[in-house]
């Protein structure tokens, strides 16, 4: 279906983003492309539907050369492309108009258009969202609209450029299921991702590094090469990491990328293969760290005196008027719910939220796509004000203009794509913008800029006079982060800060956030990564359809796996595997929250390995 022959490409005429890439994609194949940030993945993807034309070599799609202008329409009709950021391709104000845009431009008859739109929206779990305004959707919902718009074109090839980075666990799982179904019907899938679990589901994996193919093979052949992947800023899937950790502790296992395969291999190695007896399941369940009601939503969590932010019966609607909200309530579709957990006719983005953020804590926000996380975050420094209820920051009402004067600088907000906050001609000017608007003197501004850049690991002398738009993606994200830190906030609010980063950059960025928290900052972080929330947060709040579903420590929240699964979330990988092993009779204690090393220690101890406990894992 696709043939890339010695493809070279440069954006500036000097540095090659692609350097001699030769690759074929078979008709009906599911190919995954991996690589660190800046490795050339997106550049290669844009060559597959003639968005870019090679400087050297050629790309042929279904027999058509992308360099021939005569074939551009035919190539783009065959190859659908989903960008990483959905705002880059959403063009209409209503969902149904946006999804219909592609088919309309392909000349699809009006009588068939409605069916295509409905079928595409059903495929991404957005049934009944036809009349929703695109600007009022969450980031994940926008991503699903973008995917639906491409599906409605019915291409022969689907290219996803990190299209799952803003999706919740259920959304990622649903999209993978759709990809497999489309592949089984003959569609060719090319997926770029940083999620190793997605790569494990592909037929073949290609790893890029500095514009060249570094590794290629089946998922089992590529994703078990831990040392090679680490050198390329990647990592092996969680199941394979557990298998490798157990091998280091003396158990005889063959590393695999499939979680089911690894769990079964562990059970065999421990002599516990097969479902647990009823009595064993009961004993395992006794060790759970919370009763079904042990982490119930605590509306009195923290008092106003000890909290820096508090939500008091807060509700918020994107509808512009009471009349419009009333009309939506009367809608006959009011109770209809989409397949991936979103309610198309929900009136309230937030509904009766009572919540306190305590000074000095690291608070995590979890929730399905469209659950209200970003809306909640935007209330924290007064970007939006409640339709009903009140938000207080440091004891003062944020909706009171005079009373809240100066409060917004105490709450620093970092958006889902921090690099989109950049605007100035130099790094210095960008980071200095906030302090200058606070009235700082020139010397104070200089000192704050130097300190903020140092906090994010950037050398002032090397980077201050550069254009922020000439930096790498990771550096841009750090500069945007520094611009917030230069205002010296007391609370740092992060909305999916690691989305789109490769595994190495993700670890580095989250380590930076953890260090800032240890230095005394209060941190609030929304994330779809259960592993990140479990590793970093003192307390986790789970949102569901605009309301607080539960809150508690990571151990308390992630003990309620069934409830989390019902709202489109899940447990951290290690905990998920521990629960499965316990259910099958392996005497794993479930009164703790595992990371992968801690689980490996536990299993090695069960096996009686002399190497048990040699890992650096911990449990909470």
């Amino acid at each position: 279906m696709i043939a890339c022959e010695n493809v070279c490409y440069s954006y500036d005429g000097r540095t090659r983003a692609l350097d001699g890439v030769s690759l074929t994609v078979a008709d009906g194949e599911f190919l995954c492309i991996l690589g660190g940030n800046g490795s050339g993945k997106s550049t290669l993807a844009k060559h597959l539907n003639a968005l870019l034309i090679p400087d050297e070599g050629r790309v042929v799609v279904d027999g058509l050369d992308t360099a021939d202008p005569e074939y551009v329409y035919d190539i783009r009709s065959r190859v659908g492309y989903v960008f990483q950021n959905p705002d880059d391709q959403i063009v209409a104000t209503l969902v149904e108009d946006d999804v219909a845009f592609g088919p309309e431009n392909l000349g699809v008859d009006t009588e068939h258009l409605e069916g295509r739109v409905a079928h595409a929206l059903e495929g991404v779990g957005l049934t009944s969202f036809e009349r929703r305004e695109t600007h009022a959707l969450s980031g994940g919902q926008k991503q699903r609209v973008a995917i639906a718009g491409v599906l409605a074109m019915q291409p022969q090839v689907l290219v996803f450029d990190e299209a799952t980075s803003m999706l919740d666990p259920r959304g990622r799982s649903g999209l993978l299921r759709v990809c497999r179904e489309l592949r089984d019907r003959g569609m060719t899938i090319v997926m770029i991702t940083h999620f190793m679990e997605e790569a494990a589901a592909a037929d073949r994996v290609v790893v890029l590094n500095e514009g060249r193919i570094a590794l290629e093979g089946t998922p089992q052949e590529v994703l078990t090469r831990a040392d090679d992947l680490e050198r390329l800023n990647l990592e092996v899937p969680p199941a394979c990491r557990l298998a490798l950790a157990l091998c280091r502790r003396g158990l005889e296992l063959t590393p695999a990328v499939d979680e089911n395969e690894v769990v079964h291999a562990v059970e065999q190695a421990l002599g516990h293969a097969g479902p647990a007896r009823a009595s064993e399941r009961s004993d395992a369940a006794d060790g759970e760290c919370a009763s079904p009601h042990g982490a119930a939503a605590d509306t009195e969590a923290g008092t106003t005196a000890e909290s820096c932010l508090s939500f008091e019966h807060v509700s918020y609607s994107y509808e512009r008027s009471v009349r419009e909200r009333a009309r939506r309530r009367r809608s006959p579709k009011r109770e209809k719910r989409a397949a991936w957990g979103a309610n198309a006719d929900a009136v309230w983005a937030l509904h009766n939220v009572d919540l306190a953020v305590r000074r000095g804590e690291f608070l995590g926000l979890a929730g399905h796509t469209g659950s209200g996380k970003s809306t909640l975050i935007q209330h924290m420094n007064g970007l939006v004000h409640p339709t009903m209820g009140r938000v207080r920051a440091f004891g003062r009402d944020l909706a009171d203009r005079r009373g809240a004067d100066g409060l917004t600088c105490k709450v620093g907000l970092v958006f889902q794509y921090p690099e989109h906050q950049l605007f100035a001609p130099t790094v210095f000017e960008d980071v200095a913008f906030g302090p200058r608007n606070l009235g700082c003197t020139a010397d104070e501004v200089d000192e704050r800029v130097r300190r903020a850049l140092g906090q994010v690991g950037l050398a002032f002398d090397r980077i201050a006079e550069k254009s922020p738009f000439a930096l790498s993606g990771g550096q841009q994200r750090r500069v945007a982060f520094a611009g917030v830190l230069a205002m010296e906030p007391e609370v740092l609010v992060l909305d999916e800060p690691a989305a789109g980063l490769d595994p190495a950059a993700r670890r580095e960025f989250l380590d930076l956030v953890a260090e800032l928290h240890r230095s005394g900052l209060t941190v609030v972080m929304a994330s779809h990564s259960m592993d990140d929330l479990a590793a970093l947060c003192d307390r986790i709040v789970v949102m569901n359809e605009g309301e607080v579903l539960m809150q508690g420590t990571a151990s308390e929240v992630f003990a309620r796996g069934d409830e989390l699964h019902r709202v489109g979330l899940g447990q951290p990988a290690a905990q998920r595997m521990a629960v499965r092993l316990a259910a099958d009779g392996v005497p794993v204690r479930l009164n703790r929250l595992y990371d992968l090393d801690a689980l490996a220690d536990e299993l090695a101890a069960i096996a009686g390995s002399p190497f048990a406990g040699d890992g650096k894992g911990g449990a909470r």
Side-chain angles (χ1 to χ4, degrees), residues 187 195 359 380 388 429 499 530 551 619:
M187 186 177 288
F195 293 104
R359 290 179 186 268
M380 291 184 176
M388 295 190 295
E429 292 298 319
M530 303 301 105
Q551 59 180 296

Short mmCIF file of all heavy atoms in Angstrom, two decimals, residues 187 195 359 380 388 429 499 530 551 619:
data_model
loop_
_atom_site.label_atom_id
_atom_site.label_comp_id
_atom_site.label_asym_id
_atom_site.label_seq_id
_atom_site.Cartn_x
_atom_site.Cartn_y
_atom_site.Cartn_z
N MET A 187 -8.50 -2.44 6.21
CA MET A 187 -7.91 -1.10 6.23
C MET A 187 -6.47 -1.17 6.73
O MET A 187 -6.13 -1.98 7.60
CB MET A 187 -8.73 -0.15 7.10
CG MET A 187 -8.25 1.30 7.04
SD MET A 187 -9.29 2.43 8.00
CE MET A 187 -10.76 2.48 6.97
N PHE A 195 2.62 5.29 23.81
CA PHE A 195 2.07 4.29 24.72
C PHE A 195 2.51 2.90 24.25
O PHE A 195 2.08 2.43 23.19
CB PHE A 195 0.55 4.38 24.77
CG PHE A 195 0.03 5.64 25.41
CD1 PHE A 195 -0.48 6.67 24.63
CD2 PHE A 195 0.07 5.81 26.78
CE1 PHE A 195 -0.94 7.83 25.20
CE2 PHE A 195 -0.39 6.98 27.37
CZ PHE A 195 -0.90 8.00 26.58
N ARG A 359 -2.89 23.15 51.61
CA ARG A 359 -1.56 23.73 51.44
C ARG A 359 -0.49 22.63 51.49
O ARG A 359 -0.49 21.79 52.38
CB ARG A 359 -1.26 24.75 52.53
CG ARG A 359 -2.07 26.03 52.45
CD ARG A 359 -1.71 26.96 53.60
NE ARG A 359 -2.56 28.13 53.62
CZ ARG A 359 -2.28 29.28 53.01
NH1 ARG A 359 -1.16 29.38 52.32
NH2 ARG A 359 -3.10 30.31 53.10
N MET A 380 -9.63 27.51 39.13
CA MET A 380 -8.69 27.63 40.24
C MET A 380 -7.93 28.94 40.26
O MET A 380 -7.39 29.33 41.30
CB MET A 380 -7.73 26.44 40.24
CG MET A 380 -8.40 25.13 40.60
SD MET A 380 -7.26 23.75 40.72
CE MET A 380 -8.39 22.44 41.26
N MET A 388 -22.97 28.71 39.47
CA MET A 388 -23.53 28.72 40.83
C MET A 388 -22.42 28.31 41.78
O MET A 388 -21.51 27.57 41.41
CB MET A 388 -24.72 27.77 40.94
CG MET A 388 -25.93 28.17 40.11
SD MET A 388 -27.41 27.20 40.49
CE MET A 388 -26.88 25.57 39.96
N GLU A 429 12.19 37.42 27.04
CA GLU A 429 10.99 38.24 27.02
C GLU A 429 9.76 37.43 27.40
O GLU A 429 8.84 37.93 28.05
CB GLU A 429 10.81 38.87 25.64
CG GLU A 429 11.86 39.90 25.28
CD GLU A 429 11.83 41.10 26.22
OE1 GLU A 429 10.73 41.54 26.57
OE2 GLU A 429 12.92 41.56 26.61
N ALA A 499 1.46 15.20 28.36
CA ALA A 499 0.88 14.66 27.13
C ALA A 499 1.78 14.93 25.94
O ALA A 499 2.28 16.04 25.76
CB ALA A 499 -0.50 15.28 26.89
N MET A 530 -2.82 6.68 35.16
CA MET A 530 -3.01 6.21 36.52
C MET A 530 -1.66 5.93 37.20
O MET A 530 -1.51 6.12 38.40
CB MET A 530 -3.87 4.94 36.54
CG MET A 530 -5.24 5.10 35.88
SD MET A 530 -6.29 6.38 36.62
CE MET A 530 -6.18 7.69 35.39
N GLN A 551 -12.61 10.40 46.45
CA GLN A 551 -11.32 10.99 46.72
C GLN A 551 -10.67 10.28 47.89
O GLN A 551 -11.35 9.69 48.73
CB GLN A 551 -11.43 12.49 46.99
CG GLN A 551 -12.31 12.87 48.17
CD GLN A 551 -12.36 14.37 48.34
OE1 GLN A 551 -11.34 14.99 48.64
NE2 GLN A 551 -13.54 14.97 48.17
N ALA A 619 6.04 0.41 47.94
CA ALA A 619 4.59 0.24 47.92
C ALA A 619 4.00 1.24 48.89
O ALA A 619 4.65 1.66 49.84
CB ALA A 619 4.22 -1.19 48.32
#
